[in-house]
Amino acid sequence: MARKNYSEEFRRQAVDLYESTPGATVRGIAEELGIVRGTLRHWLDAYGTGKKTAADGTLTSSPLQSKTTTSTAPESGNETPEQKVARLEARVRELEVETTKLTTEREILQRAAKYFGRGDALVSRFQFVADNSATFEVKRLCELVEIERSSYYAWLKAAPARQERARADAELATRIRAAHAEDKTCGAPRITAELNDNAPGGERVNHKRVARVMRLEGIRGYVKKRRVRTTTPEPSGQKYPDLLKRDFTAPAPNQRYVGDITYLPLADGTNLYLDTVIDCYSRRLAGWAVADHMRTELVEDALKAAAATRGSLKGAVFHSDHGSVYCSKDYAKLCEKLGVTQSMGAVGSSADNALAESFNATMKREVLQDAACWSDELTCRRQVFRWLVRYNTRRRHTWCGYLSPSTYEDRRAATLPTAA
């Protein structure tokens, strides 16, 4: 059966998916999420911003929002032919001035575009004004690139000092490369010590400056990458027997579930975390939650979402690893309240929860593809939300005979014999 109870978060994410997807249509997004078009239109009226992303990536007004039509009333009074001509000529001059202004602005911004890919946007804007000050008025340039003229002139005045610092940094970078070539495992602290021990004339260098120059030059020591742990055993937590014994099948829906937490890496070095509740019968993702933490609330939200999807989880078994959140007293109380029996595999054995582990690996492989991480949190949330919903409603699963989990459940329910 299709999901009927949608949380407000789900509705807002569906609206955001429609508005942020280039060239999206209500029909296409509704089919992808497995909902009725009228339902999505209702959510857009309730939660929409009135904007959507066009096929070329630009932000436009949504055609679904009601448009207020304004009309210009005819000018009152009678005009003589001479007055009308004078008024129209004045309007033409205004339009010519506006056109000239817009043409100049467009030319300035086209020239500015190439400066904004150099890393430091503020310095790039100052440099752009300096390079084009002979062609355009400085005041107009500063207005278009949104900087204060006083700040620009202060930046211009400090140019000789910057050039001297750049020259000194270049010399320091040469010394750093020479020290790093002898031992490539050295980081900034050890490089600083090496430079100060062999400083010409006893001139010492600060470790922060060395770290800054090494970062700019792409010079770094060896740092072993730490594996992100999403399973932290809780020695004092409650332990539960393994009721599945690696048998990830079920005779009917809503009887056996598995779940796990996986990390979602972001470009800034932080992570989001995804927790899942997967039905062993159809591999359907009955519930999930995404957060920037791994506290008990994360797994509680996922289980509550599954209960909302199924209507009730009474009598079901939920299988997980021995993560501290799954062993917590609060989670045990929630399971008891929902009528869920907990099950856990052996400590340190990923095979005991292979179905959930495989799901997480598939999701990250198909969403990230060749990328190592997501660019930012919003992009991660959007892309993961879209894949998770599509997984249930559109993605063909080998376990389901190349049907989507939702379709598999619906078709199997239709073929079950009815009571006489």
Side-chain angles (χ1 to χ4, degrees):
M1 298 295 291
R3 176 174 175 171
K4 299 299 183 183
N5 299 320
Y6 298 96
S7 65
E8 182 177 354
E9 181 183 4
F10 184 96
R11 299 176 186 181
R12 292 184 181 276
Q13 286 182 310
V15 170
D16 177 72
L17 184 62
Y18 168 78
E19 293 182 342
S20 63
T21 302
T25 62
V26 173
R27 178 178 182 179
I29 296 298
E31 289 180 353
E32 189 165 331
L33 300 182
I35 59 178
V36 180
R37 275 179 283 173
T39 300
L40 181 56
R41 287 181 182 273
H42 177 71
W43 294 350
L44 288 167
D45 290 337
Y47 305 107
T49 63
K51 301 290 185 180
K52 75 178 300 293
T53 306
D56 59 359
T58 59
L59 199 63
T60 62
S61 298
S62 173
L64 301 176
Q65 301 296 322
S66 57
K67 298 179 181 179
T68 56
T69 306
T70 58
S71 59
T72 304
E75 294 191 4
S76 59
N78 297 324
E79 280 185 324
T80 64
E82 292 80 4
Q83 290 174 330
K84 185 175 183 178
V85 169
R87 178 171 58 81
L88 294 177
E89 287 178 346
R91 181 56 180 159
V92 168
R93 287 193 294 271
E94 291 177 2
L95 292 175
E96 288 176 345
V97 171
E98 185 67 21
T99 300
T100 302
K101 179 181 177 182
L102 292 175
T103 301
T104 303
E105 288 183 357
R106 183 176 63 181
E107 183 179 352
I108 292 174
L109 293 176
Q110 285 176 341
R111 293 191 181 191
K114 64 181 180 180
Y115 282 79
F116 298 148
R118 298 181 181 177
D120 191 334
L122 183 61
V123 172
S124 296
R125 282 181 280 172
F126 287 146
Q127 189 63 53
F128 169 74
V129 174
D131 291 348
N132 291 272
S133 58
T135 306
F136 302 101
E137 185 183 9
V138 170
K139 178 182 177 181
R140 191 66 185 137
L141 290 167
C142 291
E143 288 176 351
L144 286 177
V145 297
E146 298 178 347
I147 59 174
E148 296 291 336
R149 274 188 293 169
S150 58
S151 299
Y152 164 70
Y153 286 121
W155 175 85
L156 203 61
K157 184 178 180 180
R162 285 197 306 276
Q163 292 174 358
E164 177 59 27
R165 283 198 302 272
R167 183 196 62 76
D169 285 350
E171 292 180 354
L172 179 60
T174 301
R175 294 172 57 201
I176 290 174
R177 287 195 189 92
H180 187 259
E182 296 181 3
D183 185 354
K184 294 185 179 297
T185 65
C186 290
R190 292 167 63 189
I191 292 289
T192 303
E194 181 70 19
L195 294 178
N196 287 334
D197 283 347
N198 298 282
E203 183 180 353
R204 299 179 64 83
V205 62
N206 185 277
H207 72 279
K208 293 183 179 180
R209 183 185 173 200
V210 172
R212 174 178 61 82
V213 173
M214 289 181 66
R215 184 169 58 252
L216 292 175
E217 297 293 327
I219 305 171
R220 58 178 62 87
Y222 174 75
V223 178
K224 184 177 180 179
K225 294 182 179 179
R226 291 197 309 169
R227 183 168 173 251
V228 177
R229 296 189 62 190
T230 55
T231 301
T232 306
E234 177 56 59
S236 61
Q238 178 67 47
K239 300 298 186 291
Y240 299 93
D242 186 350
L243 302 179
L244 267 58
K245 302 296 183 181
R246 301 188 183 181
D247 178 12
F248 303 111
T249 63
N254 202 26
Q255 292 188 3
R256 285 181 162 192
Y257 292 94
V258 298
D260 192 21
I261 299 175
T262 188
Y263 74 100
L264 309 174
L266 305 179
D268 61 1
T270 61
N271 298 307
L272 293 179
Y273 300 92
L274 166 69
D275 182 61
T276 54
V277 180
I278 306 166
D279 196 319
C280 292
Y281 172 74
S282 62
R283 299 333 195 223
R284 179 179 179 178
L285 183 63
W288 76 84
V290 177
D292 58 356
H293 60 81
M294 287 198 300
R295 297 190 294 271
T296 307
E297 299 96 283
L298 174 64
V299 294
E300 288 180 333
D301 289 344
L303 195 63
K304 290 176 183 177
T309 299
R310 292 305 195 187
S312 173
L313 295 178
K314 188 174 182 179
V317 172
F318 177 75
H319 182 81
S320 67
D321 55 30
H322 281 264
S324 59
V325 289
Y326 294 117
C327 296
S328 67
K329 294 181 180 179
D330 289 339
Y331 193 70
K333 290 179 181 178
L334 177 63
C335 289
E336 182 179 0
K337 178 181 177 181
L338 297 177
V340 174
T341 301
Q342 285 188 261
S343 167
M344 291 184 178
V347 176
S349 176
S350 61
D352 286 352
N353 202 18
L355 175 55
E357 298 273 359
S358 175
F359 175 91
N360 292 335
T362 298
M363 183 276 296
K364 286 198 276 192
R365 182 178 66 250
E366 293 188 3
V367 178
L368 283 175
Q369 297 183 14
D370 293 333
C373 59
W374 281 273
S375 58
D376 55 72
E377 179 178 341
L378 180 58
T379 300
C380 178
R381 287 183 179 272
R382 284 175 174 172
Q383 291 183 357
V384 170
F385 170 75
R386 183 171 193 165
W387 189 91
L388 294 178
V389 177
R390 190 177 184 277
Y391 168 87
N392 278 339
T393 60
R394 300 285 297 278
R395 185 184 180 278
R396 299 181 183 274
H397 202 300
T398 54
W399 175 264
C400 302
Y402 291 98
L403 298 174
S404 69
S406 295
T407 304
Y408 178 79
E409 286 190 2
D410 292 342
R411 292 194 182 182
R412 292 295 293 268
T415 60
L416 290 177
T418 56

